[in-house]
Amino acid sequence: PLPPHRISVSPETRSFAALGDTARLTAQVTDINGQVLTGHAIAWSRRGSGATQVSDSGLVTAVANGMDTIVASTAGLAGMAAFTVRQTPTSVSLSPSAPTQITVLGAQQQLRVTALDARSRVITDLPLVWRSSDSTVAHVDPSGVVTAVSPGTTDISVDFGAGTAITRPVEVTLTSPVGGPLLGAAIPCAGVAGPFPCDRVDLLSFLPVSGLGGNANVDLNDLWGWTDPLTKKEYAIVMRRDGAAFVDVSNPVNPAYLGHLPITSGAMANIWHDVKVYANHAFIVADAAGAHGMQVFDLRQLRTHAGVPRTFAPTTTYRQVNSAHNIAINEETGFAYIVGASGGGNTCGGGLHMVDIRVPGTPAFAGCFADPFTGRAATGYTHDVQCVLYRGPDTRYRDREICFGSNETHLSIADVTVKSSPVAVGRASYPQSAYTHQGWLTTDQRYFLVNDELDESRFALAGTRTLIWDVQELDDPVLVGEFFGPNPATDHNHYIVGSHMFASTYQFGLRVVDVCNPLQPVAAGYFDTAPNWPDTPGFGGSWSNYPFFASGNIVVTSRTEGFFVLRYSPSVATRSLLGQCSP
Protein backbone atom coordinates (compact mmCIF):
# COMPACT_ATOMS: atom_id res chain seq x y z
CA PRO A 1 0.00 0.00 0.00
CA LEU A 2 1.00 3.62 -0.58
CA PRO A 3 2.02 5.69 2.45
CA PRO A 4 -0.31 8.31 4.03
CA HIS A 5 -0.38 11.52 2.03
CA ARG A 6 -3.15 13.62 3.59
CA ILE A 7 -5.33 13.75 6.68
CA SER A 8 -8.62 15.63 6.63
CA VAL A 9 -10.88 16.60 9.54
CA SER A 10 -14.64 16.85 9.50
CA PRO A 11 -16.31 19.19 10.15
CA GLU A 12 -13.68 21.74 9.14
CA THR A 13 -15.37 24.64 10.99
CA ARG A 14 -17.82 24.85 13.85
CA SER A 15 -19.28 27.53 16.12
CA PHE A 16 -20.53 27.04 19.66
CA ALA A 17 -23.11 29.34 21.32
CA ALA A 18 -22.88 27.93 24.85
CA LEU A 19 -20.18 26.62 27.11
CA GLY A 20 -20.42 22.87 27.43
CA ASP A 21 -21.56 22.38 23.84
CA THR A 22 -19.75 19.47 22.16
CA ALA A 23 -18.95 18.21 18.67
CA ARG A 24 -17.46 14.92 17.52
CA LEU A 25 -14.65 15.24 14.97
CA THR A 26 -13.59 12.51 12.55
CA ALA A 27 -10.29 12.24 10.76
CA GLN A 28 -9.66 10.47 7.45
CA VAL A 29 -6.24 9.42 6.20
CA THR A 30 -5.71 9.05 2.43
CA ASP A 31 -2.83 8.18 0.09
CA ILE A 32 -1.66 10.23 -2.86
CA ASN A 33 -4.41 8.74 -5.02
CA GLY A 34 -7.11 9.66 -2.54
CA GLN A 35 -7.60 6.13 -1.31
CA VAL A 36 -8.67 5.90 2.35
CA LEU A 37 -6.16 4.23 4.59
CA THR A 38 -7.11 2.53 7.81
CA GLY A 39 -5.26 1.42 10.89
CA HIS A 40 -3.49 4.72 11.55
CA ALA A 41 -3.73 6.07 15.14
CA ILE A 42 -4.92 9.70 15.33
CA ALA A 43 -3.52 12.10 17.93
CA TRP A 44 -5.78 15.07 18.77
CA SER A 45 -4.47 18.42 20.06
CA ARG A 46 -5.53 22.06 20.39
CA ARG A 47 -3.96 25.37 19.47
CA GLY A 48 -5.21 28.88 20.18
CA SER A 49 -6.87 30.80 23.01
CA GLY A 50 -8.05 27.87 25.12
CA ALA A 51 -11.66 28.15 24.03
CA THR A 52 -12.02 24.37 23.73
CA GLN A 53 -10.86 21.06 25.05
CA VAL A 54 -10.42 17.98 22.83
CA SER A 55 -10.39 14.37 24.00
CA ASP A 56 -8.26 11.50 22.71
CA SER A 57 -11.25 10.37 20.64
CA GLY A 58 -11.83 13.76 18.99
CA LEU A 59 -14.68 15.05 21.17
CA VAL A 60 -14.46 18.86 21.31
CA THR A 61 -16.04 20.75 24.23
CA ALA A 62 -16.54 24.54 24.45
CA VAL A 63 -14.98 25.90 27.67
CA ALA A 64 -14.44 29.63 27.03
CA ASN A 65 -15.13 32.34 24.50
CA GLY A 66 -12.49 32.53 21.81
CA MET A 67 -11.07 30.75 18.78
CA ASP A 68 -9.12 27.49 18.61
CA THR A 69 -7.68 25.21 15.97
CA ILE A 70 -8.11 21.47 16.55
CA VAL A 71 -5.30 19.41 15.05
CA ALA A 72 -5.47 15.74 14.06
CA SER A 73 -2.05 14.23 13.35
CA THR A 74 -0.55 10.90 12.27
CA ALA A 75 2.57 9.76 10.46
CA GLY A 76 3.95 13.30 10.34
CA LEU A 77 0.77 14.66 8.76
CA ALA A 78 -1.71 17.13 10.26
CA GLY A 79 -5.30 18.08 9.51
CA MET A 80 -7.08 21.01 11.08
CA ALA A 81 -10.53 22.28 12.03
CA ALA A 82 -11.42 25.81 13.18
CA PHE A 83 -13.68 26.29 16.22
CA THR A 84 -15.24 29.51 17.46
CA VAL A 85 -16.90 29.82 20.85
CA ARG A 86 -19.09 32.86 21.34
CA GLN A 87 -21.74 32.55 24.02
CA THR A 88 -25.13 33.82 22.98
CA PRO A 89 -27.27 35.17 25.81
CA THR A 90 -30.62 33.45 26.25
CA SER A 91 -31.30 34.99 29.68
CA VAL A 92 -30.21 38.45 30.86
CA SER A 93 -30.99 40.11 34.20
CA LEU A 94 -30.00 43.37 35.87
CA SER A 95 -29.40 43.74 39.60
CA PRO A 96 -30.56 45.18 41.83
CA SER A 97 -33.86 44.11 40.31
CA ALA A 98 -35.91 46.83 41.99
CA PRO A 99 -35.85 50.50 40.89
CA THR A 100 -32.77 52.18 42.32
CA GLN A 101 -32.99 55.08 44.75
CA ILE A 102 -29.86 57.08 45.62
CA THR A 103 -30.31 59.34 48.63
CA VAL A 104 -27.09 61.34 48.75
CA LEU A 105 -25.74 63.52 45.94
CA GLY A 106 -22.44 62.13 44.70
CA ALA A 107 -23.18 58.67 46.07
CA GLN A 108 -22.79 55.71 43.77
CA GLN A 109 -24.69 52.51 42.96
CA GLN A 110 -23.16 49.53 41.15
CA LEU A 111 -25.49 47.94 38.61
CA ARG A 112 -24.59 44.45 37.41
CA VAL A 113 -25.72 42.39 34.44
CA THR A 114 -26.00 38.61 34.68
CA ALA A 115 -26.23 36.91 31.29
CA LEU A 116 -26.61 33.15 30.77
CA ASP A 117 -26.21 31.05 27.65
CA ALA A 118 -28.40 28.12 26.61
CA ARG A 119 -26.70 25.84 29.14
CA SER A 120 -27.12 28.40 31.97
CA ARG A 121 -23.43 29.21 31.98
CA VAL A 122 -22.54 32.81 32.96
CA ILE A 123 -21.27 34.99 30.12
CA THR A 124 -18.38 36.97 31.61
CA ASP A 125 -17.27 39.00 28.60
CA LEU A 126 -20.57 40.16 27.15
CA PRO A 127 -19.97 43.59 25.54
CA LEU A 128 -22.18 46.08 27.39
CA VAL A 129 -23.06 49.67 26.56
CA TRP A 130 -24.47 51.71 29.46
CA ARG A 131 -26.57 54.84 28.99
CA SER A 132 -28.40 57.36 31.16
CA SER A 133 -31.46 59.07 29.72
CA ASP A 134 -30.60 62.17 31.79
CA SER A 135 -26.96 62.43 32.82
CA THR A 136 -27.68 65.66 34.73
CA VAL A 137 -29.56 63.49 37.26
CA ALA A 138 -27.30 60.44 37.30
CA HIS A 139 -24.27 59.48 35.25
CA VAL A 140 -23.33 55.86 34.49
CA ASP A 141 -19.79 54.82 33.62
CA PRO A 142 -18.75 51.96 31.31
CA SER A 143 -18.65 49.50 34.24
CA GLY A 144 -22.21 50.22 35.35
CA VAL A 145 -21.44 52.52 38.29
CA VAL A 146 -24.21 55.10 38.65
CA THR A 147 -23.30 58.45 40.28
CA ALA A 148 -26.01 60.76 41.59
CA VAL A 149 -25.58 64.28 40.22
CA SER A 150 -28.81 66.14 41.05
CA PRO A 151 -32.35 65.39 42.27
CA GLY A 152 -34.66 63.79 39.73
CA THR A 153 -35.36 60.54 37.89
CA THR A 154 -33.51 58.97 34.98
CA ASP A 155 -33.51 55.64 33.18
CA ILE A 156 -30.29 53.67 33.15
CA SER A 157 -30.19 51.22 30.26
CA VAL A 158 -27.67 48.59 29.27
CA ASP A 159 -27.42 47.38 25.68
CA PHE A 160 -25.94 43.89 25.26
CA GLY A 161 -25.97 43.60 21.49
CA ALA A 162 -28.36 42.97 18.62
CA GLY A 163 -30.49 45.92 19.71
CA THR A 164 -31.50 44.29 22.97
CA ALA A 165 -31.40 46.24 26.22
CA ILE A 166 -32.65 46.36 29.81
CA THR A 167 -33.74 49.59 31.49
CA ARG A 168 -33.78 50.40 35.20
CA PRO A 169 -35.32 53.61 36.63
CA VAL A 170 -33.02 55.50 39.03
CA GLU A 171 -34.36 58.14 41.41
CA VAL A 172 -32.09 60.67 43.09
CA THR A 173 -33.61 62.23 46.21
CA LEU A 174 -32.43 64.65 48.87
CA THR A 175 -32.61 62.39 51.90
CA SER A 176 -29.98 60.35 53.66
CA PRO A 177 -30.47 57.03 55.40
CA VAL A 178 -28.09 58.07 58.21
CA GLY A 179 -30.55 60.34 59.97
CA GLY A 180 -32.95 62.38 57.92
CA PRO A 181 -32.65 65.08 55.27
CA LEU A 182 -28.97 66.00 55.20
CA LEU A 183 -29.13 67.69 51.81
CA GLY A 184 -31.56 70.20 50.43
CA ALA A 185 -32.24 72.18 53.60
CA ALA A 186 -30.20 73.34 56.57
CA ILE A 187 -30.84 71.64 59.91
CA PRO A 188 -30.60 74.10 62.80
CA CYS A 189 -28.80 72.82 65.86
CA ALA A 190 -31.20 71.95 68.66
CA GLY A 191 -28.91 69.79 70.76
CA VAL A 192 -28.62 67.60 67.68
CA ALA A 193 -28.69 68.26 63.95
CA GLY A 194 -29.85 65.08 62.30
CA PRO A 195 -27.88 62.35 64.10
CA PHE A 196 -25.07 64.71 65.13
CA PRO A 197 -24.83 66.21 68.66
CA CYS A 198 -24.16 69.93 68.48
CA ASP A 199 -24.19 73.27 70.24
CA ARG A 200 -24.65 76.49 68.24
CA VAL A 201 -23.38 74.92 65.04
CA ASP A 202 -25.95 74.23 62.31
CA LEU A 203 -25.73 71.49 59.70
CA LEU A 204 -26.06 72.81 56.16
CA SER A 205 -25.24 69.56 54.37
CA PHE A 206 -23.36 66.29 54.62
CA LEU A 207 -21.76 64.03 52.02
CA PRO A 208 -20.49 60.59 53.05
CA VAL A 209 -17.13 59.42 51.75
CA SER A 210 -18.97 57.65 48.92
CA GLY A 211 -20.40 61.02 47.91
CA LEU A 212 -16.86 62.21 47.21
CA GLY A 213 -16.01 59.37 44.85
CA GLY A 214 -14.52 57.24 47.63
CA ASN A 215 -15.18 53.65 48.65
CA ALA A 216 -14.76 51.45 51.72
CA ASN A 217 -10.97 51.63 51.39
CA VAL A 218 -10.80 55.43 51.16
CA ASP A 219 -10.99 57.86 54.06
CA LEU A 220 -10.66 61.63 54.26
CA ASN A 221 -7.98 63.77 55.86
CA ASP A 222 -7.08 67.42 55.22
CA LEU A 223 -8.90 70.09 53.26
CA TRP A 224 -8.74 73.75 52.20
CA GLY A 225 -10.96 76.19 50.38
CA TRP A 226 -10.93 78.36 47.28
CA THR A 227 -13.18 81.25 46.29
CA ASP A 228 -13.28 81.91 42.56
CA PRO A 229 -12.51 85.64 42.19
CA LEU A 230 -14.52 85.74 38.96
CA THR A 231 -17.74 83.99 39.99
CA LYS A 232 -17.39 84.30 43.80
CA LYS A 233 -18.29 80.61 44.03
CA GLU A 234 -16.83 78.74 46.99
CA TYR A 235 -15.11 75.38 46.57
CA ALA A 236 -13.61 72.82 48.93
CA ILE A 237 -10.52 70.78 48.09
CA VAL A 238 -10.97 67.62 50.13
CA MET A 239 -8.05 65.25 50.54
CA ARG A 240 -8.79 61.56 50.20
CA ARG A 241 -6.33 58.76 50.87
CA ASP A 242 -5.88 58.43 47.12
CA GLY A 243 -5.91 62.05 46.00
CA ALA A 244 -7.98 65.24 46.08
CA ALA A 245 -11.74 65.63 45.65
CA PHE A 246 -13.26 68.92 44.48
CA VAL A 247 -16.62 70.07 45.84
CA ASP A 248 -18.65 73.10 44.80
CA VAL A 249 -20.13 74.46 48.04
CA SER A 250 -21.50 77.70 46.61
CA ASN A 251 -24.94 76.22 47.30
CA PRO A 252 -24.12 75.02 50.82
CA VAL A 253 -27.23 72.87 51.26
CA ASN A 254 -26.56 71.04 47.97
CA PRO A 255 -22.79 70.68 47.53
CA ALA A 256 -21.75 69.19 44.19
CA TYR A 257 -18.89 66.70 43.87
CA LEU A 258 -17.01 67.70 40.71
CA GLY A 259 -14.35 65.01 40.46
CA HIS A 260 -10.91 64.16 41.75
CA LEU A 261 -7.20 64.56 41.14
CA PRO A 262 -5.41 61.23 41.75
CA ILE A 263 -2.12 61.03 43.61
CA THR A 264 1.00 61.26 41.47
CA SER A 265 1.46 58.26 39.21
CA GLY A 266 3.72 55.73 40.94
CA ALA A 267 3.18 57.25 44.40
CA MET A 268 1.48 55.34 47.19
CA ALA A 269 -1.89 56.13 48.72
CA ASN A 270 -1.57 57.20 52.34
CA ILE A 271 -3.57 58.93 55.07
CA TRP A 272 -1.40 62.07 55.15
CA HIS A 273 -2.16 64.64 52.48
CA ASP A 274 -2.18 68.40 52.72
CA VAL A 275 -3.30 71.20 50.45
CA LYS A 276 -3.17 74.99 50.40
CA VAL A 277 -4.26 77.53 47.78
CA TYR A 278 -2.56 80.51 46.15
CA ALA A 279 -3.43 82.53 43.02
CA ASN A 280 -6.23 80.18 41.91
CA HIS A 281 -4.01 77.11 42.21
CA ALA A 282 -4.02 74.23 44.69
CA PHE A 283 -0.65 72.97 45.97
CA ILE A 284 -0.78 69.38 47.22
CA VAL A 285 1.74 67.20 49.06
CA ALA A 286 1.55 63.66 50.47
CA ASP A 287 3.55 61.97 53.23
CA ALA A 288 4.94 58.42 53.19
CA ALA A 289 3.84 58.27 49.56
CA GLY A 290 7.10 57.76 47.70
CA ALA A 291 7.96 60.11 44.84
CA HIS A 292 4.79 62.19 45.01
CA GLY A 293 6.28 65.69 44.79
CA MET A 294 4.11 68.79 45.06
CA GLN A 295 1.17 68.74 42.67
CA VAL A 296 0.01 72.08 41.31
CA PHE A 297 -3.56 72.26 40.02
CA ASP A 298 -5.22 75.20 38.27
CA LEU A 299 -8.55 75.48 40.09
CA ARG A 300 -10.06 77.60 37.32
CA GLN A 301 -10.73 74.33 35.50
CA LEU A 302 -13.62 73.82 37.92
CA ARG A 303 -15.52 76.69 36.30
CA THR A 304 -16.34 74.56 33.27
CA HIS A 305 -17.61 71.54 35.17
CA ALA A 306 -20.22 69.79 33.02
CA GLY A 307 -22.21 68.06 35.78
CA VAL A 308 -20.51 64.66 35.55
CA PRO A 309 -17.66 63.96 38.01
CA ARG A 310 -14.40 63.71 36.12
CA THR A 311 -10.79 62.75 36.73
CA PHE A 312 -8.39 65.70 36.55
CA ALA A 313 -4.65 65.88 35.89
CA PRO A 314 -2.16 68.16 37.66
CA THR A 315 -1.12 71.37 35.91
CA THR A 316 2.46 70.61 36.90
CA THR A 317 4.35 68.69 39.56
CA TYR A 318 7.28 70.10 41.54
CA ARG A 319 9.83 67.31 41.92
CA GLN A 320 12.49 68.68 44.28
CA VAL A 321 10.82 66.86 47.16
CA ASN A 322 9.34 63.36 47.27
CA SER A 323 7.07 62.86 50.26
CA ALA A 324 6.16 65.70 52.62
CA HIS A 325 3.85 65.90 55.59
CA ASN A 326 2.46 69.36 55.17
CA ILE A 327 2.50 72.62 53.27
CA ALA A 328 1.85 76.23 54.25
CA ILE A 329 1.56 79.25 51.97
CA ASN A 330 2.02 82.93 52.71
CA GLU A 331 -0.43 84.38 50.22
CA GLU A 332 0.93 87.90 50.76
CA THR A 333 4.41 87.00 49.57
CA GLY A 334 3.75 84.09 47.18
CA PHE A 335 5.99 81.57 48.92
CA ALA A 336 5.12 78.00 49.86
CA TYR A 337 6.69 76.20 52.80
CA ILE A 338 6.84 72.43 52.42
CA VAL A 339 7.52 70.79 55.79
CA GLY A 340 8.24 67.29 57.02
CA ALA A 341 9.86 66.31 53.72
CA SER A 342 11.32 62.81 53.56
CA GLY A 343 12.10 59.96 51.22
CA GLY A 344 14.20 61.85 48.69
CA GLY A 345 14.79 65.23 47.14
CA ASN A 346 15.92 68.21 49.19
CA THR A 347 14.33 67.42 52.57
CA CYS A 348 15.85 70.44 54.37
CA GLY A 349 16.15 68.24 57.44
CA GLY A 350 12.39 68.01 57.54
CA GLY A 351 12.23 71.76 58.18
CA LEU A 352 11.10 74.50 55.81
CA HIS A 353 11.60 73.71 52.13
CA MET A 354 10.83 77.12 50.66
CA VAL A 355 9.38 77.44 47.17
CA ASP A 356 8.72 80.55 45.10
CA ILE A 357 5.22 80.07 43.67
CA ARG A 358 4.57 83.62 42.49
CA VAL A 359 4.26 82.07 39.05
CA PRO A 360 2.21 79.01 40.09
CA GLY A 361 2.92 77.00 36.97
CA THR A 362 6.70 77.21 37.45
CA PRO A 363 7.48 76.75 41.16
CA ALA A 364 11.15 77.31 42.01
CA PHE A 365 13.21 76.24 45.01
CA ALA A 366 14.11 79.24 47.19
CA GLY A 367 15.94 77.88 50.24
CA CYS A 368 15.91 75.81 53.43
CA PHE A 369 15.44 76.53 57.10
CA ALA A 370 15.75 74.09 59.99
CA ASP A 371 16.50 74.70 63.66
CA PRO A 372 18.49 71.63 64.81
CA PHE A 373 17.72 72.41 68.45
CA THR A 374 14.13 71.33 67.77
CA GLY A 375 12.44 68.13 66.61
CA ARG A 376 12.64 64.58 67.86
CA ALA A 377 15.66 63.75 65.68
CA ALA A 378 17.39 67.10 66.31
CA THR A 379 17.18 68.00 62.61
CA GLY A 380 14.69 70.83 62.92
CA TYR A 381 11.76 68.74 61.65
CA THR A 382 8.68 70.93 61.31
CA HIS A 383 5.28 69.27 61.51
CA ASP A 384 3.24 72.36 60.63
CA VAL A 385 3.92 76.07 60.20
CA GLN A 386 2.20 79.41 59.76
CA CYS A 387 4.17 82.05 57.86
CA VAL A 388 3.03 85.67 57.82
CA LEU A 389 4.10 89.12 56.83
CA TYR A 390 4.62 90.27 60.38
CA ARG A 391 2.60 93.22 61.72
CA GLY A 392 2.60 92.25 65.37
CA PRO A 393 3.83 94.07 68.47
CA ASP A 394 7.55 93.29 68.13
CA THR A 395 8.61 96.36 66.12
CA ARG A 396 12.06 94.87 65.43
CA TYR A 397 10.47 92.47 62.92
CA ARG A 398 7.72 94.64 61.47
CA ASP A 399 6.98 93.81 57.80
CA ARG A 400 9.40 90.89 57.78
CA GLU A 401 8.32 87.38 56.84
CA ILE A 402 8.10 85.33 60.03
CA CYS A 403 7.32 81.62 60.35
CA PHE A 404 5.86 80.02 63.48
CA GLY A 405 6.71 76.32 63.41
CA SER A 406 5.27 73.46 65.43
CA ASN A 407 8.37 71.30 65.59
CA GLU A 408 7.38 68.14 67.52
CA THR A 409 9.25 69.22 70.68
CA HIS A 410 9.29 73.01 70.44
CA LEU A 411 7.66 76.13 69.16
CA SER A 412 10.12 77.50 66.58
CA ILE A 413 10.12 81.08 65.27
CA ALA A 414 12.19 82.05 62.21
CA ASP A 415 12.79 85.11 60.06
CA VAL A 416 12.69 83.87 56.46
CA THR A 417 12.59 87.25 54.73
CA VAL A 418 15.82 86.43 52.90
CA LYS A 419 15.29 82.86 51.70
CA SER A 420 18.99 82.23 51.11
CA SER A 421 19.88 83.12 54.73
CA PRO A 422 16.92 82.55 57.08
CA VAL A 423 17.50 83.13 60.79
CA ALA A 424 16.28 81.28 63.88
CA VAL A 425 14.66 83.96 66.06
CA GLY A 426 13.25 82.04 69.02
CA ARG A 427 12.25 78.65 70.34
CA ALA A 428 10.49 77.30 73.42
CA SER A 429 9.22 74.06 74.90
CA TYR A 430 6.69 73.45 77.68
CA PRO A 431 5.71 71.01 80.46
CA GLN A 432 4.09 67.72 79.46
CA SER A 433 5.22 68.07 75.88
CA ALA A 434 4.24 65.02 73.82
CA TYR A 435 4.00 66.21 70.19
CA THR A 436 3.89 69.90 69.26
CA HIS A 437 1.52 69.60 66.35
CA GLN A 438 0.02 72.83 64.95
CA GLY A 439 -0.77 76.41 65.87
CA TRP A 440 -2.32 79.66 64.66
CA LEU A 441 -1.81 83.34 65.44
CA THR A 442 -4.50 85.58 66.87
CA THR A 443 -5.57 88.38 64.55
CA ASP A 444 -3.26 90.92 66.21
CA GLN A 445 -0.31 88.45 66.03
CA ARG A 446 0.23 88.87 69.77
CA TYR A 447 -0.58 85.28 70.73
CA PHE A 448 0.10 81.93 69.11
CA LEU A 449 -2.27 79.13 70.14
CA VAL A 450 -0.79 75.64 69.82
CA ASN A 451 -2.16 72.11 70.07
CA ASP A 452 -0.23 69.03 71.19
CA GLU A 453 -1.53 65.95 69.42
CA LEU A 454 -0.45 63.32 71.94
CA ASP A 455 -0.61 64.96 75.36
CA GLU A 456 -4.20 63.95 76.09
CA SER A 457 -3.36 60.25 75.79
CA ARG A 458 0.20 60.28 77.15
CA PHE A 459 -0.57 62.31 80.27
CA ALA A 460 -4.21 61.27 80.79
CA LEU A 461 -5.40 64.87 80.61
CA ALA A 462 -9.00 65.50 81.58
CA GLY A 463 -9.65 67.80 78.61
CA THR A 464 -8.25 68.76 75.23
CA ARG A 465 -5.40 71.19 75.95
CA THR A 466 -4.62 74.33 73.97
CA LEU A 467 -1.33 76.09 74.82
CA ILE A 468 -1.39 79.89 74.78
CA TRP A 469 1.92 81.56 73.87
CA ASP A 470 2.60 85.27 74.23
CA VAL A 471 4.88 86.10 71.29
CA GLN A 472 5.04 89.89 71.67
CA GLU A 473 8.81 89.39 71.78
CA LEU A 474 9.57 86.93 69.02
CA ASP A 475 12.92 85.92 70.46
CA ASP A 476 11.35 85.13 73.85
CA PRO A 477 7.99 83.34 73.49
CA VAL A 478 6.30 82.81 76.87
CA LEU A 479 3.69 80.20 77.75
CA VAL A 480 1.03 82.29 79.51
CA GLY A 481 -1.90 79.92 79.77
CA GLU A 482 -3.64 76.67 78.95
CA PHE A 483 -7.24 76.11 77.93
CA PHE A 484 -8.97 72.76 78.39
CA GLY A 485 -11.96 71.43 76.48
CA PRO A 486 -14.90 69.51 77.99
CA ASN A 487 -13.40 66.09 77.21
CA PRO A 488 -9.97 64.63 76.39
CA ALA A 489 -10.51 64.17 72.64
CA THR A 490 -7.26 64.46 70.69
CA ASP A 491 -6.79 67.84 69.02
CA HIS A 492 -5.55 68.16 65.46
CA ASN A 493 -5.91 71.28 63.27
CA HIS A 494 -7.27 74.62 64.44
CA TYR A 495 -7.60 78.03 62.82
CA ILE A 496 -8.52 81.46 64.12
CA VAL A 497 -10.91 83.77 62.32
CA GLY A 498 -11.55 87.08 64.05
CA SER A 499 -12.35 86.28 67.66
CA HIS A 500 -13.04 82.55 67.26
CA MET A 501 -10.91 79.44 67.02
CA PHE A 502 -12.30 76.53 65.02
CA ALA A 503 -10.62 73.31 66.15
CA SER A 504 -10.93 69.84 64.67
CA THR A 505 -10.66 67.56 67.68
CA TYR A 506 -10.88 64.14 66.04
CA GLN A 507 -13.52 62.06 67.84
CA PHE A 508 -15.32 65.09 69.30
CA GLY A 509 -15.56 66.77 65.92
CA LEU A 510 -15.47 70.55 65.45
CA ARG A 511 -15.01 72.68 68.59
CA VAL A 512 -15.58 76.46 68.51
CA VAL A 513 -13.73 78.56 71.09
CA ASP A 514 -14.19 82.29 71.72
CA VAL A 515 -10.66 83.73 71.91
CA CYS A 516 -11.72 87.38 72.02
CA ASN A 517 -9.57 87.44 75.14
CA PRO A 518 -6.88 84.87 74.33
CA LEU A 519 -5.87 84.64 77.99
CA GLN A 520 -9.38 83.53 78.91
CA PRO A 521 -10.84 81.41 76.09
CA VAL A 522 -14.47 80.36 76.40
CA ALA A 523 -16.18 77.32 74.87
CA ALA A 524 -18.60 78.68 72.28
CA GLY A 525 -20.03 75.65 70.46
CA TYR A 526 -19.32 72.29 68.88
CA PHE A 527 -20.47 69.82 66.25
CA ASP A 528 -19.75 66.13 66.81
CA THR A 529 -19.00 64.74 63.35
CA ALA A 530 -18.39 61.23 64.69
CA PRO A 531 -21.18 60.41 67.16
CA ASN A 532 -20.34 56.70 67.06
CA TRP A 533 -16.87 57.37 68.48
CA PRO A 534 -16.34 58.06 72.18
CA ASP A 535 -15.07 61.58 73.01
CA THR A 536 -11.73 60.20 74.13
CA PRO A 537 -8.14 60.34 72.81
CA GLY A 538 -7.95 58.71 69.40
CA PHE A 539 -7.72 59.38 65.70
CA GLY A 540 -11.20 58.81 64.32
CA GLY A 541 -13.46 61.71 63.44
CA SER A 542 -12.61 65.24 62.31
CA TRP A 543 -9.18 65.76 60.77
CA SER A 544 -9.48 69.38 59.72
CA ASN A 545 -11.70 72.33 58.88
CA TYR A 546 -11.65 75.47 56.74
CA PRO A 547 -13.44 78.48 58.30
CA PHE A 548 -12.21 81.28 56.00
CA PHE A 549 -15.03 81.56 53.44
CA ALA A 550 -16.59 85.01 53.17
CA SER A 551 -19.99 83.34 53.49
CA GLY A 552 -19.15 82.24 57.02
CA ASN A 553 -19.76 78.60 56.10
CA ILE A 554 -17.30 76.09 57.54
CA VAL A 555 -16.28 72.93 55.70
CA VAL A 556 -15.09 69.99 57.77
CA THR A 557 -13.67 66.54 57.09
CA SER A 558 -14.39 63.55 59.29
CA ARG A 559 -12.18 60.64 58.37
CA THR A 560 -14.60 57.76 57.77
CA GLU A 561 -17.85 59.70 58.09
CA GLY A 562 -17.54 62.22 55.30
CA PHE A 563 -17.67 65.90 54.45
CA PHE A 564 -19.73 68.51 56.30
CA VAL A 565 -20.80 72.05 55.51
CA LEU A 566 -21.56 73.79 58.82
CA ARG A 567 -22.36 77.25 60.10
CA TYR A 568 -21.61 78.64 63.52
CA SER A 569 -24.64 80.42 64.98
CA PRO A 570 -23.57 82.18 68.19
CA SER A 571 -26.15 83.37 70.64
CA VAL A 572 -26.67 87.11 71.08
CA ALA A 573 -25.00 86.80 74.46
CA THR A 574 -21.66 85.77 72.96
CA ARG A 575 -19.28 88.23 74.54
CA SER A 576 -17.05 88.77 71.50
CA LEU A 577 -20.00 89.93 69.43
CA LEU A 578 -20.73 92.51 72.08
CA GLY A 579 -17.11 93.59 72.23
CA GLN A 580 -16.94 92.60 75.89
CA CYS A 581 -13.50 91.02 76.16
CA SER A 582 -12.28 90.86 79.72
CA PRO A 583 -8.74 92.19 80.22
Side-chain angles (χ1 to χ4, degrees), residues 358-401:
R358 287 174 289 183
V359 180
T362 55
F365 175 72
C368 286
F369 171 78
D371 184 346
F373 294 99
T374 67
R376 287 178 166 180
T379 64
Y381 179 97
T382 299
H383 189 82
D384 206 332
V385 67
Q386 183 186 11
C387 298
V388 299
L389 199 58
Y390 185 72
R391 299 184 180 91
D394 194 335
T395 57
R396 296 172 296 172
Y397 295 93
R398 189 67 56 85
D399 296 324
R400 299 189 68 79
E401 191 163 12

Side-chain angles (χ1 to χ4, degrees), residues 496-553:
I496 296 173
V497 180
S499 59
H500 286 82
M501 179 176 76
F502 297 87
S504 284
T505 55
Y506 276 123
Q507 293 171 187
F508 185 48
L510 179 72
R511 184 166 62 114
V512 185
V513 180
D514 186 330
V515 293
C516 179
N517 178 358
L519 298 178
Q520 296 180 353
V522 175
Y526 69 86
F527 189 96
D528 190 347
T529 64
N532 294 327
W533 290 90
D535 298 332
T536 56
F539 303 104
S542 181
W543 184 289
S544 198
N545 67 90
Y546 180 83
F548 301 109
F549 285 130
S551 65
N553 299 329

Side-chain angles (χ1 to χ4, degrees), residues 223-238 245-251 258 275-283 297-305 312 329 331 360 546-551 553 555 563:
L223 86 166
W224 205 248
W226 173 60
T227 300
D228 186 337
L230 181 65
T231 65
K232 305 305 178 185
K233 282 189 171 185
E234 295 176 342
Y235 297 84
I237 305 104
V238 183
F246 303 102
V247 186
D248 182 346
V249 293
S250 53
N251 180 356
L258 307 181
V275 56
K276 296 296 186 295
V277 170
Y278 171 74
N280 304 317
H281 287 72
F283 297 80
F297 177 76
D298 189 339
L299 294 161
R300 292 171 293 187
Q301 298 178 68
L302 304 181
R303 292 173 178 166
T304 57
H305 175 63
F312 294 94
I329 292 176
E331 294 186 51
Y546 180 83
F548 301 109
F549 285 130
S551 65
N553 299 329
V555 289
F563 169 77

Side-chain angles (χ1 to χ4, degrees), residues 6 59 118 123 127-128 135 154 212 222 335 355 369 391 450 465 539:
R6 183 174 182 272
L59 181 67
I123 304 174
L128 302 175
S135 60
T154 184
L212 299 171
D222 223 314
F335 282 86
V355 187
F369 171 78
R391 299 184 180 91
V450 173
R465 180 175 64 154
F539 303 104

